């Protein structure tokens, strides 16, 4: 079988780097995108190369439809058609609703939700035409349970799953699955940036497993969803949160 191509948005981030490297270990040809404000992308590619990973990396602002279109066109030209899309890029701008400005709402909705449309639109028709594809949307436990100070983020992450369920219905007969994964608190810089007293005093005590999740554990779930054995998992929202929130 020819090597499948996996495109991971935000593939250099805390979770993204582990997803990218574990997917490469699993035999996929991995292409990553990074944000237009990332000034260390070349360094990252070189560092990963020294660890044995040959990643193609492209700048792409996932909030910008035209940038996504041009980026995927370039990827298809140089690497080939995208078989797997992991919509992983995301940001937080946490604050209470009272303090939240329109710009804080827009930035989070554009980056976490509009991005899913912008990227999926570029690859979905090709997947259905070829009769195989995997689209995996990285949501969050807080999209299911809500979180103080995250009206913007929780709305975007919940919206992502509405998208997943609807697109899953539309493409199911064409060999394409669409799923959401909803990680709880994973030990990446997005989470370790939370003040220590809140992390240790409030967040970890809510996690029955008693620790943060590991990026490897999230990558393992994504690799499973990409597999042939996961062909019957479609339109699901898979929680990976140490038991913090059960639906
Ligand atoms: P990071 O901040 O480390 O990574 C986020 C990535 O998103 C970065 O690589 C960044 O790219 C990319 N990104 C942000 N804005 C844009 C943009 N406009 N265009 C393109 N790329 C952009 O966070 P994590 O790795 O922790 O999070 C990854 C995903 O997992 C996010 O969607 C997050 O919401 C979700 N998640 C994370 C959890 C956690 O505990 N860490 C828990 C639940 C969900 P660059 O680095 O190039 O700037």
């Amino acid at each position: 079988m020819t090597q499948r191509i996996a495109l991971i948005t935000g593939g250099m981030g805390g979770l993204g780097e582990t997803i990218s490297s574990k997917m490469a270990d699993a035999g996929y040809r991995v292409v990553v995108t990074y944000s237009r404000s990332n000034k260390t992308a070349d360094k990252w590619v070189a560092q990963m190369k020294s660890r044995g990973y040959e990643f193609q990396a492209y700048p792409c602002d996932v909030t910008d439809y035209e940038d996504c279109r041009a980026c995927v066109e370039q990827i298809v030209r140089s690497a080939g058609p995208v078989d797997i899309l992991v919509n992983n890029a995301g940001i937080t701008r946490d604050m209470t609703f009272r303090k939240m400005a329109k710009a804080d709402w827009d930035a989070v909705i554009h980056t976490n939700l509009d991005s899913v449309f912008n990227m999926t639109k570029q690859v979905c028709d090709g997947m259905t035409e070829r009769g195989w594809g995997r689209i995996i949307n990285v949501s969050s436990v807080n999209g299911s349970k809500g979180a103080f100070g995250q009206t913007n983020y929780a709305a975007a992450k919940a919206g992502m799953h509405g998208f997943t369920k609807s697109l899953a219905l539309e493409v199911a007969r064409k060999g394409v699955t669409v799923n959401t994964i909803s990680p709880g608190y994973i030990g990446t810089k997005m989470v370790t940036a939370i003040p220590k007293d809140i992390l240790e005093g409030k967040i970890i005590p809510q996690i029955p497993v008693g620790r943060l999740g590991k990026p490897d554990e999230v990558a393992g779930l994504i690799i499973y969803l990409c597999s042939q054995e996961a062909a019957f998992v479609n339109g699901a929202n898979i929680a990976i949160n140490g038991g913090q929130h059960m639906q």
Side-chain angles (χ1 to χ4, degrees), residues 10-16 33-38 60-63 88-91 111-112 138-141 153 157 183-191:
M12 300 183 182
L15 262 182
T33 68
Y34 57 95
S35 71
R36 294 256 167 214
S37 59
N38 185 330
C60 177
D61 178 359
V62 294
T63 69
N88 166 71
I91 58 167
T111 312
N112 295 275
V138 182
S139 178
S140 162
V141 62
Y153 185 77
K157 294 302 195 185
Y185 289 88
I186 310 297
T188 68
K189 65 175 187 282
M190 186 184 257
V191 167

Side-chain angles (χ1 to χ4, degrees), residues 40-190:
T40 56
D42 290 346
K43 197 171 145 204
W44 183 87
V45 171
Q47 270 169 1
M48 295 308 284
K49 193 168 181 184
S50 71
R51 288 170 47 190
Y53 295 102
E54 290 278 351
F55 292 132
Q56 285 187 36
Y58 295 86
C60 177
D61 178 359
V62 294
T63 69
D64 180 333
Y65 184 83
E66 187 48 37
D67 207 23
C68 294
R69 194 199 57 71
C71 176
V72 175
E73 194 178 275
Q74 209 184 340
I75 291 167
V76 171
R77 228 182 298 121
S78 61
V82 175
D83 301 300
I84 296 164
L85 171 66
V86 182
N87 282 310
N88 166 71
I91 58 167
T92 52
R93 280 216 191 157
D94 295 356
M95 64 200 78
T96 58
F97 183 67
R98 195 171 59 81
K99 292 186 183 151
M100 192 175 290
K102 176 82 165 83
D104 303 313
W105 172 266
D106 286 345
V108 170
I109 299 291
H110 291 332
T111 312
N112 295 275
L113 184 58
D114 291 355
S115 60
V116 173
F117 176 86
N118 293 344
M119 290 303 292
T120 306
K121 194 75 183 157
Q122 314 309 330
V123 300
C124 192
D125 286 351
M127 290 178 181
T128 56
E129 279 156 23
R130 292 188 303 279
W132 197 93
R134 297 283 187 266
I135 296 166
I136 298 162
N137 296 320
V138 182
S139 178
S140 162
V141 62
N142 291 343
S144 309
K145 77 170 191 50
F148 189 95
Q150 286 198 325
T151 49
N152 50 4
Y153 185 77
K157 294 302 195 185
M160 209 179 227
H161 189 54
F163 173 93
T164 288
K165 289 189 285 188
S166 302
L167 186 62
L169 293 172
E170 295 180 21
V171 297
R173 294 286 177 108
K174 307 280 187 186
V176 178
T177 67
V178 189
N179 290 291
T180 302
I181 65 164
S182 289
Y185 289 88
I186 310 297
T188 68
K189 65 175 187 282
M190 186 184 257

